[in-house]
Amino acid sequence: MDLSLRRKLALEIARKIQNNKIKTHPLRQLFWECTLRCNLHCRHCGSDCKNIASTPDMPKEDFLKVLDMVKEKMDPHKVFVILTGGEPLMRPDIEACGREIYAREFPWGMVTNGLALTPQRYEGLLRAGLHSMTISLDGLEESHNWMRGNDHSFQNASKAIEMVCRSNAIAFDVVTCVNRKNYHELPAIRDFLISIGLKQWRLFTVFPMGRAANDPMLQLTNEEFKGTFEFIKQTRKEGQIHASYGCEGFLGNYEGDVRDYFFSCHAGVTVASVLADGSISACPSIRADYHQGNIYQDNFLDVWEHQFLPYRDHSWMKKDECADCKYFRYCRGNGMHLRDEKGKLLFCHLKRLEQQ
C-alpha cells in the first residue's frame, strides 16, 4: 500500500505536531477508573468487571487530592476529567464526585453503558456539572443484548441516548463495537441513531485482549475489517450523522477519511489515568506492565513530568514486524494498549488492510 502524496504531506505535518506534544506533554485528559463494578457482563470487556469487584471503589477524596495537586501547577479548565469503570453509575455517590470535580473547575464527563441512566439520574449529573457523556450501543436489540448479556440493555441504552440527544445539554456521542454479529446491520444502526437525533457516532473494532481474545464472533474477517472503514467513509460523505473510527491504529490511505485527525497515540503524552487501585497509567485500556506509579506511594505530577518514557519514546517498538516497516515514521508502533507484557505488537491495522 503506497500513500498518496497529499496524505504523506498531511502526515508529515501531523508528525511534527505530535513531536512537539511529546516534548511538552501537556496533560489534557485525565481518566478516573472510579469503580470496577459493573451491572453488565459484556462479551468484549477487557477488564472482566463484576457486580462485586475484588478491588473496592476508590474513595473520592483520594482522587480529589490528585486534582488539587494538578490544579496547583496547571489550568484546570484545560484538563478534562473522564469518569470510567466498570460502570460509573454503580457508584451511588457519582453525583457528589462530579460536584467536587466541578467545584475545582475541572470540566468532566463520563462513559456509561446507559443501563441505569434514568431521567432523575441524568438531571442529577447535569446539576453536578456534567460536560460530556459517551453511551455504548453495540447493535440493534438482539445483537446489542447478545453483546451486553442483558435482555433489557438495548431498551435502556436507546432510551438514554434519546433522552440525552433531546436535552441537547452536553457534548455527546455513542460508541459502537463492530463485530461479526452486528457488521451487516451497520446501516440499520446508523439509520436508527439518526432517527433518535444522534449527531456524533464513534465506531471501533475489538483488539484481542480480555474476554474478546478467544471469541471468534468478535473478530472481523479482513474483508469486514476493510468494509467497516468503507462504511464510515461513505457515512461521513452522506453527512446525516458524523461517524468516525476510534483513536487506535494507523490506517494508511484511510487516514484523514474516517476520523477528524491523523493517527497518533496520545497515551502518556496528553492522556493519563488514575485506576481503581491507585495505579498511575495512561489510557485505561493499557495493561499493568506499563503502569508508571501509584498515587498512594508517588506524587502524581512528578510521575507525569519525569516518567512515562515508554509512552513518549517509541523507538523500543521498532522490532519484529515493525522493524522494517516503511510507515513506522507515522505509526510509531501503533497504540500502547496493543502491546503485550513483553512489548510484542498484538494487532496491526495496516497489515490487516493490506492482507484484505
Side-chain angles (χ1 to χ4, degrees):
M1 180 186 293
D2 291 321
L3 298 175
S4 66
L5 177 60
R6 173 176 163 270
R7 213 163 248 107
K8 275 188 177 179
L9 291 172
L11 284 165
E12 284 296 333
I13 293 171
R15 181 175 174 273
K16 290 178 180 178
I17 292 171
Q18 180 67 357
N19 284 342
N20 185 60
K21 284 183 180 177
I22 291 170
K23 184 178 179 180
T24 57
H25 48 268
L27 182 62
R28 291 292 176 260
Q29 286 186 316
L30 178 57
F31 286 88
W32 178 29
E33 188 181 58
C34 62
T35 182
L36 285 179
R37 292 181 293 139
C38 189
N39 48 12
L40 292 176
H41 190 77
C42 304
R43 298 178 75 96
H44 64 315
C45 182
S47 54
D48 200 30
C49 300
K50 301 172 183 176
N51 257 296
I52 301 174
S54 56
T55 301
D57 295 355
M58 178 183 288
K60 68 178 185 297
E61 292 77 15
D62 295 352
F63 180 69
L64 293 172
K65 288 178 184 176
V66 173
L67 293 188
D68 290 337
M69 192 180 304
V70 171
K71 188 177 180 181
E72 287 181 8
K73 301 290 184 179
M74 301 178 187
D75 181 353
H77 302 99
K78 294 181 179 179
V79 181
F80 201 95
V81 176
I82 303 170
L83 276 56
T84 184
E87 168 53 49
L89 292 176
M90 292 290 285
R91 286 188 69 129
D93 67 340
I94 199 70
E95 293 86 352
C97 294
R99 283 193 297 272
E100 291 292 343
I101 294 168
Y102 192 52
R104 287 161 172 77
E105 301 181 79
F106 289 88
W108 70 277
M110 65 186 299
V111 181
T112 174
N113 59 43
L115 186 69
L117 189 63
T118 63
Q120 296 78 15
R121 204 84 200 267
Y122 181 53
E123 286 300 321
L125 292 167
L126 290 178
R127 289 194 297 270
L130 181 73
H131 278 58
S132 78
M133 180 178 283
T134 294
I135 295 179
S136 299
L137 190 81
D138 294 318
L140 300 180
E141 187 160 11
E142 181 189 355
S143 53
H144 176 84
N145 290 346
W146 168 84
M147 176 70 99
R148 296 286 164 173
N150 184 298
D151 291 340
H152 303 288
S153 182
F154 177 82
Q155 183 180 25
N156 287 26
S158 57
K159 284 182 178 178
I161 292 166
E162 188 170 9
M163 174 180 65
V164 179
C165 286
R166 198 167 52 244
S167 79
N168 199 30
I170 56 174
F172 176 58
D173 71 349
V174 165
V175 64
T176 296
C177 173
V178 184
N179 56 76
R180 298 211 69 192
K181 192 168 180 67
N182 70 11
Y183 172 76
H184 294 289
E185 65 183 26
L186 286 177
I189 300 169
R190 175 193 59 202
D191 293 346
F192 170 71
L193 292 173
I194 291 170
S195 75
I196 60 176
L198 186 72
K199 303 299 183 186
Q200 303 284 335
W201 185 27
R202 191 156 34 102
L203 300 91
F204 71 99
T205 48
V206 177
F207 56 94
M209 287 299 296
R211 295 175 191 158
N214 300 311
D215 192 335
M217 285 300 290
L218 297 182
Q219 305 299 327
L220 298 174
T221 66
N222 290 337
E223 183 179 6
E224 290 167 341
F225 190 68
K226 184 173 183 179
T228 299
F229 299 113
E230 288 294 330
F231 170 78
I232 295 171
K233 188 176 176 180
Q234 182 60 34
T235 298
R236 288 167 70 90
K237 284 182 179 178
E238 292 170 0
Q240 295 185 73
I241 188 171
H242 191 71
S244 62
Y245 187 61
C247 61
E248 66 175 40
F250 178 70
L251 306 174
N253 278 314
Y254 284 108
E255 289 292 332
D257 287 342
V258 296
R259 53 192 167 202
D260 300 338
Y261 52 87
F262 291 96
F263 170 73
S264 59
C265 182
H266 294 286
V269 177
T270 61
V271 178
S273 65
V274 174
L275 304 185
D277 65 354
S279 295
I280 300 170
S281 188
C283 167
S285 299
I286 296 170
R287 59 203 47 79
D289 308 86
Y290 299 101
H291 293 351
Q292 299 296 294
N294 191 291
I295 64 167
Y296 295 114
Q297 287 92 42
D298 304 295
N299 180 289
F300 175 85
L301 281 182
D302 285 347
V303 171
W304 177 252
E305 286 301 327
H306 304 297
Q307 294 183 219
F308 284 92
L309 298 182
Y311 293 83
R312 295 169 187 168
D313 180 358
H314 283 200
S315 59
W316 61 273
M317 294 184 179
K318 199 169 175 58
K319 60 182 181 178
D320 303 324
E321 62 189 287
C322 295
D324 301 317
C325 180
K326 60 183 177 181
Y327 300 116
F328 187 87
R329 177 180 186 83
Y330 309 122
C331 176
R332 303 176 195 252
N334 217 320
M336 280 289 293
H337 70 293
L338 296 174
R339 295 277 165 173
D340 69 10
E341 65 278 359
K342 296 180 181 178
K344 182 176 176 59
L345 182 64
L346 297 168
F347 189 91
C348 175
H349 294 69
L350 189 60
K351 185 176 180 179
R352 289 206 68 187
L353 290 170
E354 289 177 334
Q355 285 174 342
Q356 195 282 331

